[in-house]
Amino acid sequence: MATDIEFNKNEDKMRTLVSDVNNRLLKIEEGGGKKRAEKQKAQGKLLARERIAYLLDDDKDQFEVGAFAGYEMYKEQGGCPAGGVVVIIGYISGKQCIVVANDATVKAGAWFPITAKKNLRAQEIAIENRLPIVYLVDSAGVFLPMQDEIFPDKEHFGRMFRNNAVMSSKGIIQIAAIMGSCVAGGAYLPIMSDEAMIVDKTGSIFLAGPYLVKAAIGEDVDKETLGGATTHSEISGVTDNKFHNDKDALNYIKKAFDKIGDFDKAGFNRAKPVDPKKKIKDLYGIIPSSRAKQYDVHELIDHLVDDSDFDEYKAEYGKSIVCGTARIDGWAVGIVANQRKVVKTKSGEMRFGGVIYSDSADKATRFIMNCNQRKIPLVFLQDVTGFMVGSRSEHGGIIKDGAKMVSAVSNSVVPKFTVITGNSYGAGNYAMCGKAYDPRLIVAWPTAKIAVMGGEQAAKTLLQIEVASHKKRGEEMTEKEINDRLKTITDRYNSQTTPYYAASRLWVDDIIDPIDTRKVISIGIEAANHAPITEDFNVGVIQT
């Protein structure tokens, strides 16, 4: 347990980090800025976030996916706040769903590479959890200067329409409202949905706009005649209904959701939620302000789980990973957490905190298998520097034991949720269910660091290679050159390990305030409960 002075230092540091996250979010939520927002309102349109706020139940919890997508990217193009699209998991008329809204204040809602990636992530969440999805369309189409990074590849723009078709075949509800421009290939998104509506005068949809039509076939035609609400609701039949304004269209969606029937559930166990005995805000004081210091992950767990009641699995074995069952907001969960405290084994051996050893990997593998057997969702609390290295570990089969854990994580059929509280380095990221291992949601605390290895170790490794390269050429670097180069490499590497760098590229779904962790996990499990488990758990062939 941290002393009062240490706790206060930790708390102050976390409060500063959380405040920094919130200040950056406020800027992101401005989208393309006040001038563009005013222009959109002058047309009688709501802004993307206003549309979502009007549509979603305001008495239910929400979770925004990818708010930091595109953060500090595309600077030469003027930036792309939130990737130019807002994605929120929430509730409409009491039904949990996911809403995707183009932000027309950001380059007229044009699609950047990160926009496509974020939309695909939204569809992935809908598919995995069988959640209804609502598209609020207002986009000028592909950002043409970057078309080669958006258009042709498997995980690019076209994948969305393939997903539209797959979701429809699975019975996942898709409703679209065309509330602004809907151009070229983007026109397939709403029309491949179950129901498409359009707002009169402001909504339009066509494969080619008036200028391109003129250039291609010489026809002079205005935007409204070519693809406005009257054209598509009364002549072509492309859209199902037209509405006078944004709110009318959104009200129709609310009524549609109010009539949706219930579907089969996965049946995850839930009891009446109970607050932790420990104050949730005291989480701020647990994570040390310095990464060189230790903390006991049991304290963190006590502040997250219902009634601070945690049933630990193999407590005296493999102590560098803590496993056990508990409840979070009533939901039964299996927790796999890295222990950042130096621990002593019964043989007297000291174990580094945050490092995965063979016995820890073995324990975690068995625990993950048990949770799959019992249909208990898994929560990974990541603060890991990697697997133990050195001759003793290699002789003990660390690679084999690590592979078993990775195999168990990979083949899990129960939903997985990952919270990166501190370090997320190397193969430890993989074993603890990093983005590549399909967590239903993956979030980071402001204290997160994601990289192959720590900045100091990586910089020294890269510098050694550089110094050796100079020696091969018969050149010697001076001590000043070495120190300057070390600082340059360290600064560059560290800038790529921040949670903002990860969130901007959608390696994590969001950077969250630690006190929101329970809420995010609960929203995620409720979403996952919409999708019954249809596969048997099988780890395949693993080395024993």
Side-chain angles (χ1 to χ4, degrees), residues 32-201:
K34 290 183 180 179
K35 186 179 284 188
R36 288 173 182 162
E38 288 168 1
K39 184 178 178 181
Q40 184 161 330
K41 290 194 170 189
Q43 298 171 15
K45 297 161 67 174
L46 297 173
L47 304 178
R49 292 182 182 277
E50 290 175 339
R51 288 167 175 165
I52 294 177
Y54 184 83
L55 184 60
L56 292 179
D57 300 345
D58 58 13
D59 61 341
K60 296 274 194 176
D61 285 334
Q62 301 174 10
F63 173 65
E64 182 167 355
V65 178
F68 283 96
Y71 182 70
E72 294 191 335
M73 296 169 66
Y74 313 117
K75 291 180 180 179
E76 291 182 5
Q77 292 79 20
C80 188
V85 63
V86 183
V87 175
I88 293 183
I89 300 173
Y91 300 78
I92 301 174
S93 300
K95 305 285 194 312
Q96 195 177 31
C97 63
I98 186 162
V99 182
V100 180
N102 299 112
D103 186 349
T105 70
V106 180
K107 288 284 190 292
W111 290 70
F112 284 69
I114 198 66
T115 316
K117 186 173 183 178
K118 186 169 174 178
N119 274 266
L120 290 173
R121 176 61 177 145
Q123 289 183 322
E124 180 182 41
I125 291 170
I127 291 169
E128 285 182 328
N129 300 293
R130 302 187 71 85
L131 280 184
I133 187 166
V134 176
Y135 307 103
L136 305 180
V137 184
D138 194 347
S139 170
V142 165
F143 185 65
L144 290 177
M146 304 184 78
Q147 65 85 28
D148 61 317
E149 299 179 49
I150 307 164
F151 171 67
D153 209 346
K154 180 179 178 181
E155 298 297 331
H156 281 179
F157 194 60
R159 187 75 173 181
M160 282 189 309
F161 317 130
R162 174 264 184 195
N163 286 349
N164 282 141
V166 168
M167 291 160 77
S168 185
S169 74
K170 293 178 179 292
I172 298 170
I173 295 163
Q174 301 175 85
I175 295 177
I178 301 158
M179 311 182 92
S181 296
C182 186
V183 184
Y188 289 110
L189 180 90
I191 307 310
M192 293 186 75
S193 298
D194 305 340
E195 189 170 0
M197 58 204 70
I198 188 167
V199 178
D200 198 16
K201 305 303 183 216

Side-chain angles (χ1 to χ4, degrees), residues 286-459:
I286 293 174
I287 302 293
S289 56
S290 166
R291 289 179 186 274
K293 293 183 179 178
Q294 311 171 39
Y295 68 93
D296 189 344
V297 78
H298 290 94
E299 288 184 53
L300 191 154
I301 293 169
D302 284 345
H303 287 77
L304 287 178
V305 303
D306 289 16
D307 203 34
S308 301
D309 185 13
F310 179 62
D311 297 315
E312 190 165 356
Y313 174 77
K314 289 182 179 283
E316 299 302 318
Y317 178 73
K319 291 185 176 183
S320 73
I321 289 183
V322 172
C323 300
T325 54
R327 292 188 182 275
I328 292 179
D329 199 34
W331 295 103
V333 295
I335 294 174
V336 181
N338 301 113
Q339 175 59 283
R340 280 306 306 263
K341 186 176 74 169
V342 174
V343 295
K344 184 187 289 188
T345 66
K346 284 193 173 180
S347 64
E349 180 189 358
M350 300 302 292
R351 295 288 180 86
F352 295 109
V355 178
I356 301 176
Y357 292 79
S358 282
D359 53 1
S360 306
D362 179 66
K363 175 173 82 171
T365 300
R366 186 60 180 254
F367 179 73
I368 290 165
M369 295 169 77
N370 282 346
C371 286
N372 275 271
Q373 187 86 336
R374 299 169 190 176
K375 205 158 79 170
I376 300 174
L378 287 160
V379 174
F380 293 83
L381 303 177
Q382 272 200 27
D383 192 351
V384 58
T385 53
F387 285 88
M388 190 58 192
V389 297
S391 59
R392 183 172 179 178
S393 292
E394 297 294 358
H395 295 172
I398 186 67
I399 296 175
K400 178 180 64 178
D401 291 318
K404 285 191 285 188
M405 184 175 173
V406 170
S407 181
V409 171
S410 302
N411 288 294
S412 279
V413 295
V414 295
K416 298 166 290 194
F417 302 89
T418 301
V419 182
I420 304 173
T421 63
N423 299 322
S424 179
Y425 292 159
N429 170 282
Y430 301 160
M432 291 294 294
C433 197
K435 182 66 184 286
Y437 293 83
D438 297 325
R440 297 292 178 97
L441 293 174
I442 176 170
V443 294
W445 285 6
T447 44
K449 291 276 188 182
I450 304 170
V452 169
M453 62 180 75
E456 188 177 340
Q457 300 96 310

